[in-house]
Amino acid sequence: MTLQKLTERLGIKRYPSRWEEFFDEVAKDVKENGCPLADSSYYQKLHDEYGVLTNLLDIYKQAAEEIKADCDCLLFFALLRRAMKDRDKIRGDLAALDMPQGESYCLKYAAIPSLIMCECIPKLYGDMKARNVPSDILEDSIKNAERVTENYMKAHNGEIGFSNFDWHQLLYDGRLFRVKRLQLEFPFRFLGIYKVFENREGEIIALAHNIAVHRDGVPLGSLRYEDDTDSYTAVIEETEDAYIGHPFDEYGKIMREKVTLPKNDWQLKLKAGDPVVSLHIPRGEKFDDATVQDTIDYSREFLDKCYPDYGNKAFFCASWLLDKQIEDLMGTDSNIAKFGNRFQRMQYKSDGMAAIRFVFNVNGKKYTLDDLESLPESTRLEKLLKKHYLDGKAIYEPHGIFF
């Protein structure tokens, strides 16, 4: 058996060439010892020891036994498990990999990512215990991966699957914590396309840096802002006495008129590479302002108590939820608008499709701009977004910070 032959038999057209380096070793080990993750007892043990898989245990156990019974599927499963150990290479592997798929839904293939992700649970639990992470955060965080599977199943008529397997490597690496209503990602380094300054009165100003800007103030190349006529590059100039650059308006657009920040009154507060905590908003739960504030307050306590050495300098978010156009559409009292208004907004080059993907693609249907007329209108937000895009506009994904 060769790797090429295995992938052909599984209908896999693309796979990482580096897997050739350990194929023989893995094949020999599987032949002699099997694979521990392809055994139903593994998931029963996880459930008994860590309280996970409450709603998924039976289907995980069934999937493991089906994988074990198929020699080709078992070998592929073991190869992926081996590749996951190279944490600096796995995302590249996944970008170059086609997962096996049957002609129709097949449990043993569809469950592979969900089962693979379970191997991180004991280490995550141990690492968080060592940091004295509160039990509610610990328990919610080690269940992050199974929630991804549950949400997928809800959107696909009960068929198992795992969305965005590459992005969710953050879970495997222990960089994503579930804290009440939000997910906190760290370590995370602040990006270098703007710098943030603070004066003696506590006022905050961000200046754009090395950004190509459309004449209307949106990063050039964003959806509907591809024309480079009268565009320019925003750069921060630093003199002996001041910082000079292009600030952002309340919508996060870059202003053409420059401002001068005297150094005797303004100092650099946040720059590229500084440690920040990136916020993510899981789908489908209560999102009122009080719940969000309670989560943020609890997050500060959690970081101070359990990760004081991280040195967090700000909370960061990159999301369509921060686009101030949402407030124009839904009003200032909407929960989304209240969340977005917590942040200093800074527009970032965007394909303008994140809102479409999040709001409309909940049932497995992948909508594009060509599908605007057929978008459903079952909720107020769906109706407003559909009209907004049909009017030739878009919702973007600004970056935002607060301290």
Side-chain angles (χ1 to χ4, degrees):
M1 175 71 76
T2 64
L3 178 57
Q4 181 177 352
K5 185 66 174 178
L6 174 69
T7 54
E8 288 175 355
R9 287 165 60 162
L10 290 171
I12 296 172
K13 296 181 179 179
R14 299 183 312 123
Y15 60 87
S17 58
R18 79 175 192 94
W19 285 20
E20 296 278 8
E21 300 171 9
F22 49 77
F23 177 80
D24 290 341
E25 172 191 346
V26 172
K28 180 176 182 292
D29 185 54
V30 168
K31 184 177 180 179
E32 295 176 354
N33 304 304
C35 177
L37 270 66
D39 192 307
S40 59
S41 64
Y42 181 85
Y43 303 94
Q44 184 67 56
K45 183 178 180 182
L46 285 180
H47 172 72
D48 293 343
E49 292 190 11
Y50 303 104
V52 297
L53 308 180
T54 302
N55 300 320
L56 298 172
L57 182 59
D58 288 342
I59 194 169
Y60 275 41
K61 291 167 71 172
Q62 179 185 347
E65 293 301 321
E66 289 189 15
I67 290 172
K68 182 166 62 174
D70 182 326
C71 293
D72 291 342
C73 187
L74 176 63
L75 181 50
F76 175 84
F77 187 62
L79 281 167
L80 180 57
R81 179 184 179 232
R82 165 61 184 81
M84 291 280 286
K85 297 183 184 303
D86 298 328
R87 300 311 301 161
D88 59 334
K89 298 176 181 177
I90 187 58
R91 287 204 180 196
D93 285 0
L94 295 177
L97 176 65
D98 292 329
M99 299 293 283
Q101 294 181 351
E103 294 182 2
S104 58
Y105 170 73
C106 181
L107 176 62
K108 63 187 175 186
Y109 296 153
I112 286 174
S114 298
L115 270 57
I116 285 284
M117 290 295 290
C118 287
E119 193 163 20
C120 70
I121 291 173
K123 183 178 186 304
L124 297 186
Y125 183 91
D127 289 347
M128 285 188 275
K129 270 290 189 181
R131 288 277 186 167
N132 294 314
V133 170
S135 59
D136 59 327
I137 297 177
L138 188 155
E139 292 168 9
D140 283 345
S141 296
I142 64 173
K143 293 179 180 178
N144 269 328
E146 65 189 82
R147 283 196 195 90
V148 177
T149 298
E150 288 179 332
N151 288 335
Y152 184 97
M153 293 175 69
K154 289 176 183 177
H156 293 82
N157 299 313
E159 294 182 352
I160 199 169
F162 198 93
S163 303
N164 302 317
F165 187 37
D166 55 348
W167 186 86
H168 281 108
Q169 295 304 306
L170 292 171
L171 300 176
Y172 199 97
D173 292 329
R175 293 176 53 196
L176 206 58
F177 297 81
R178 181 63 183 262
V179 181
K180 295 194 174 184
R181 184 58 184 88
L182 300 173
Q183 288 178 321
L184 277 56
E185 177 192 348
F186 66 94
F188 189 95
R189 299 295 167 179
F190 191 60
L191 304 179
I193 57 171
Y194 26 70
K195 296 180 181 180
V196 183
F197 301 85
E198 183 179 31
N199 69 7
R200 295 177 182 178
E201 287 72 42
E203 294 177 286
I204 299 293
I205 289 182
L207 300 181
H209 188 53
N210 289 333
I211 305 177
V213 186
H214 185 272
R215 59 184 175 274
D216 291 335
V218 176
L220 188 65
S222 297
L223 179 65
R224 310 197 195 284
Y225 292 96
E226 296 89 355
D227 178 12
D228 64 358
T229 303
D230 200 26
S231 64
Y232 64 98
T233 300
V235 178
I236 297 174
E237 305 170 49
E238 182 177 357
T239 69
E240 183 176 344
D241 301 318
Y243 301 101
I244 305 166
H246 299 267
F248 298 82
D249 67 14
E250 62 177 338
Y251 283 80
K253 291 185 176 182
I254 301 158
M255 302 171 69
R256 186 178 284 269
E257 184 176 351
K258 296 181 180 180
V259 297
T260 298
L261 306 179
K263 288 184 176 178
N264 61 4
D265 192 35
W266 293 86
Q267 52 185 297
L268 183 62
K269 186 173 181 68
L270 196 63
K271 65 183 186 304
D274 282 347
V276 297
V277 169
S278 181
L279 301 178
H280 303 281
I281 306 94
R283 182 191 295 275
E285 296 180 20
K286 190 176 180 182
F287 197 56
D288 63 281
D289 196 46
T291 298
V292 172
Q293 185 60 54
D294 180 54
T295 298
I296 292 170
D297 292 342
Y298 191 39
S299 296
R300 294 186 192 278
E301 295 175 13
F302 157 64
L303 291 165
D304 289 344
K305 174 186 174 184
C306 303
Y307 294 89
D309 51 325
Y310 179 60
N312 179 45
K313 290 197 170 185
F315 289 95
F316 169 88
C317 187
S319 173
W320 66 272
L321 295 171
L322 271 59
D323 193 324
K324 195 169 177 63
Q325 293 180 95
I326 296 290
E327 180 179 338
D328 296 339
L329 294 174
M330 301 194 70
T332 56
D333 288 335
S334 75
N335 289 329
I336 296 177
K338 289 178 179 179
F339 179 76
N341 285 333
R342 293 175 177 275
F343 295 85
Q344 161 81 46
R345 295 177 174 93
M346 298 160 288
Q347 288 284 1
Y348 185 73
K349 184 177 177 181
S350 164
D351 70 357
M353 290 298 292
I356 297 292
R357 288 189 290 268
F358 189 91
V359 174
F360 294 100
N361 294 348
V362 294
N363 294 313
K365 168 69 175 175
K366 301 299 182 184
Y367 292 103
T368 69
L369 288 177
D370 295 331
D371 303 311
L372 291 180
E373 291 285 357
S374 65
L375 292 177
E377 299 182 47
S378 55
T379 68
R380 178 170 175 250
L381 179 58
E382 287 180 352
K383 292 177 183 178
L384 291 170
L385 285 179
K386 179 177 179 177
K387 183 179 186 304
H388 190 73
Y389 277 82
L390 286 172
D391 288 344
K393 303 173 185 178
I395 298 296
Y396 299 96
E397 296 92 60
H399 289 184
I401 55 160
F402 64 81
F403 296 95

